[in-house]
Amino acid sequence: MTQLPPPSAKKLGLVIDLDTCVGCHACVVSCKGWNTENYGAPLSDQDAYGANPSGTFLNRVHSYEVQPEQGEAQLIHFPKSCLHCEDAPCVTVCPTGASYKRAEDGIVLVNESDCIGCGLCAWACPYGARELDAKEGVMKKCTLCVDRIYNENLPEEDRQPACVRTCPSGARHFGDLGDENSDVSKLVAERGGFDLMPEQGTKPVNKYLPPRPKDEMPEFDVLAPYLEPIASDGKGFVGWLDKALSAMPGGAK
Amino acid sequence: MHPASSVILFNTFSGLGFGLLFWLGMGAIVPMGSSAFIWFAIAYILAVGGLIASTFHLGHPERAIKAFSQWKTSWLSREGICAVFALIVMAIYGAGLVFFETPLALLGIIGGIASLGVVFTTSMIYAQMKTVPRWRHWTTPAMYLTLSIGGGALLSGQVLIASVLLIVGALLQVFAWMTGDTRFKASGTNMETATGLGHIGKVRAFEPPHTGTNYLMREFVHQVGRKHAEKLRIITIGLAFVLPVILLLLPFSHVLAAFAVLSHIAGVLTLRWLFFAQAEHVVGLYYGKR
């Protein structure tokens, strides 16, 4: 049913640390791999080795430049996938009931055998978390690796989303954001985790941790005065060399 | 938003068809026998033809029957139910006129209102989208309804009503464009709220997640036709509203009336193209585009 269930006590989701993400795209690759080989229709590519490659991905990494009013610009890598919103607008617009939010843990899923591929859920999502697969004609989205996290055939350390398991810099965390004593909830409280586009009223479960403030460069270097490399007064041998070279054809004036 | 031709055709022709069914149901014209057959055939070809066109953009049209189930939350589901109901009721009303020369007035009124219901539920699919600030406004359903009953009046040859509705439609459309142009900014969604990085400074998209394009960019980030938007707006107003009204006010002839209808259809097709091509989806912000 596309009516949203009452808010669940358990809210499984991701916490993404924008301070530690190095933008390596390993999460993108592991997500594509796992979700092509397992649950649901594979994530197809079109013209993969041609001039205009394009394909379905459930997780993509953007990179942004942020310019403070004073000081250096920062480059911030920004992974983005489904935020498993509490008020998920993608669920209520679905005409067939294919799109649903699980009452037990809050994961938003698509029942692919009911999906007519109208694309309305992708229109309703402000985050671009849903992509219509060009080959299968059904809507694909992050499942929070529902086929891993409860999978008792996997070793316990693998029972987390593929992107989290893969991340080499520890920038992705998985857990229950409905439990305020969980590791992820504590991390959000400690680091000031935030929502994307809060004004859209979607109440995302996934949170983002802001980059930590950058170290300040020291204002002076005690050795600097002794290391001045260039004679700017133009006397002696250096002065003569400067004049001689400048006088040659094509020399700097 | 990507202006998909199937959806533009659906909005234009189904809107006209259901507008004509509205006037037929309301008894504005009460044709009998074979003349009724022709009127209803025109209305059904437009309404049903548009509905069929709209299924061309589906990934799995063979499962369309499932779309009638979620009327409690989904405007698309409500639209489907409304369309089937209106078409069945109007078919019975039409059969009464064609075969028995008997207008079942109450049934006609129910069918006429249901026909407007189809147009309203269609418009709400767009007006509900918080992600597309330009659409999320009362002018969206108002425009859809005015165009539908105005076009229906034009098709059914009601000169005075059609002229008034087309003039109202033109004014409404100009108002919708003028207010729509500022609505994205007014929505408060921008690159800073999208990334949550506004507390550090000004955010600029530095590198996209991929070198090529993707579904999101094809569907939601359509910038190609916008540079001609101003000219197309003038063409829209001219063809959809001004020219048909002038042709209607000239001494009546069937040739002029046919030109009025054709001009109106061409204008509405342009209007619908602009409705999609100019609508900016907030997801474009993640790509530094609108």
Side-chain angles (χ1 to χ4, degrees):
Chain A
M1 285 299 282
T2 53
Q3 275 172 296
L4 288 166
S8 55
K10 197 174 176 189
K11 301 182 206 304
L12 294 185
L14 300 175
V15 173
I16 293 168
D17 191 342
L18 298 177
D19 192 63
T20 40
C21 176
V22 295
C24 70
H25 293 240
C27 54
V28 178
V29 177
S30 65
C31 168
K32 177 107 175 176
W34 179 265
N35 288 292
T36 290
E37 292 155 9
N38 294 281
Y39 172 90
L43 304 173
S44 73
D45 288 319
Q46 281 71 43
D47 197 19
Y49 302 100
N52 294 300
S54 165
T56 310
F57 287 80
L58 311 182
N59 175 36
R60 293 182 186 268
V61 180
H62 297 253
S63 296
Y64 298 105
E65 178 199 77
V66 185
Q67 177 64 62
E69 275 185 29
Q70 285 183 335
E72 306 294 328
Q74 288 186 39
L75 184 62
I76 293 162
H77 302 294
F78 194 96
K80 184 164 63 59
S81 53
C82 173
L83 310 176
H84 298 280
C85 302
E86 251 180 89
D87 277 345
C90 55
V91 170
T92 50
V93 296
C94 176
T96 67
S99 210
Y100 64 104
K101 184 170 175 69
R102 300 200 337 164
E104 62 269 37
D105 53 18
I107 301 180
V108 177
L109 290 176
V110 175
N111 175 354
E112 291 174 5
S113 59
D114 276 356
C115 177
I116 56 172
C118 69
L120 218 51
C121 54
W123 287 23
C125 173
Y127 308 110
R130 289 171 169 251
E131 300 189 15
L132 190 76
D133 189 83
K135 178 154 187 297
E136 295 288 334
V138 294
M139 196 53 73
K140 300 297 297 183
K141 71 176 291 303
C142 161
T143 66
L144 214 57
C145 282
V146 71
D147 50 351
R148 287 175 68 97
I149 58 178
Y150 295 114
N151 191 340
E152 290 179 0
N153 295 321
L154 294 178
E156 201 170 338
E157 65 268 27
D158 284 337
R159 289 179 212 159
Q160 46 182 328
C163 57
V164 177
R165 187 75 180 96
T166 294
C167 180
S169 67
R172 303 180 72 103
H173 307 269
F174 165 69
D176 179 5
L177 287 142
D179 171 7
E180 58 182 34
N181 294 315
S182 68
D183 288 349
V184 281
S185 295
K186 284 184 201 156
L187 198 55
V188 170
E190 243 169 61
R191 296 274 309 278
F194 59 83
D195 290 345
L196 304 187
M197 292 187 185
E199 72 285 353
Q200 288 274 335
T202 53
K203 295 196 219 147
V205 169
N206 285 13
K207 305 285 177 215
Y208 283 76
L209 306 179
R212 292 184 176 91
K214 292 275 184 194
D215 290 344
E216 304 255 332
M217 288 288 282
E219 280 187 20
F220 62 91
D221 182 338
V222 286
L223 292 175
Y226 304 103
L227 293 171
E228 270 190 291
I230 295 167
S232 56
D233 50 4
K235 285 179 192 153
F237 174 70
V238 174
W240 171 82
L241 193 61
D242 180 35
K243 276 189 210 132
L245 289 171
S246 300
M248 286 172 72
K253 298 286 169 201
Chain B
M1 301 292 289
H2 171 63
S5 52
S6 61
V7 178
I8 291 173
L9 291 175
F10 159 66
N11 277 314
T12 304
F13 290 105
S14 285
L16 265 181
F18 283 110
L20 182 54
L21 283 177
F22 166 74
W23 290 114
L24 284 167
M26 287 301 170
I29 50 167
V30 189
M32 297 287 178
S34 58
S35 144
F37 180 81
I38 292 168
W39 278 112
F40 276 86
I42 294 170
Y44 271 80
I45 287 168
L46 290 171
V48 178
L51 284 169
I52 291 171
S54 77
T55 64
F56 291 160
H57 85 286
L58 297 181
H60 281 277
E62 77 282 4
R63 299 176 187 160
I65 190 86
K66 293 180 192 236
F68 295 110
S69 64
Q70 304 300 314
W71 50 271
K72 280 185 187 166
T73 61
S74 168
W75 282 105
L76 181 54
S77 192
R78 290 170 194 164
E79 179 202 33
I81 291 168
C82 223
V84 170
F85 177 75
L87 290 171
I88 290 173
V89 171
M90 287 307 289
I92 300 170
Y93 176 73
L97 295 180
V98 174
F99 302 112
F100 306 103
E101 308 213 342
T102 313
L104 305 162
L106 183 64
L107 211 57
I109 290 169
I110 293 170
I113 292 169
S115 298
L116 279 196
V118 182
V119 178
F120 177 71
T121 47
T122 305
S123 71
M124 286 309 292
I125 292 173
Y126 306 105
Q128 72 176 330
M129 291 291 164
K130 213 171 179 178
T131 50
V132 186
R134 185 184 286 274
W135 289 348
R136 197 177 162 81
H137 197 245
W138 62 266
T139 48
T140 300
M143 222 24 242
Y144 266 76
L145 289 168
T146 311
L147 276 176
S148 176
I149 54 174
L154 180 65
L155 270 183
S156 56
Q158 305 175 76
V159 173
L160 181 64
I161 294 175
S163 306
V164 171
L165 285 170
L166 290 182
I167 291 166
V168 171
L171 295 174
L172 207 53
Q173 182 59 78
V174 171
F175 179 74
W177 280 333
M178 283 167 58
T179 56
D181 286 346
T182 57
R183 222 168 284 138
F184 194 98
K185 206 163 178 220
S187 76
T189 298
N190 49 46
M191 285 199 69
E192 281 69 35
T193 70
T195 58
L197 298 170
H199 64 283
I200 304 175
K202 189 80 193 141
V203 183
R204 184 174 77 89
F206 183 77
E207 195 176 38
H210 39 81
T211 50
T213 183
N214 68 8
Y215 167 76
L216 300 169
M217 301 188 76
R218 288 191 294 268
E219 187 75 4
F220 302 118
V221 187
H222 182 87
Q223 297 178 306
V224 184
R226 284 200 210 135
K227 63 175 176 178
H228 297 301
E230 290 303 317
K231 277 177 215 155
L232 287 168
R233 283 179 174 186
I234 293 165
I235 291 170
T236 297
I237 293 292
L239 288 178
F241 306 109
V242 176
L243 191 59
V245 170
I246 293 171
L247 291 170
L248 285 181
L249 295 180
L250 293 173
F252 182 80
S253 88
H254 278 102
V255 177
L256 289 184
F259 273 118
V261 169
L262 289 178
S263 164
H264 179 71
I265 290 174
V268 175
L269 284 170
T270 321
L271 183 153
R272 291 284 175 235
W273 189 88
L274 279 171
F275 180 75
F276 289 97
Q278 284 206 289
E280 304 116 322
H281 193 290
V282 294
V283 78
L285 292 169
Y286 286 109
Y287 292 87
K289 293 178 173 169
R290 287 205 8 208

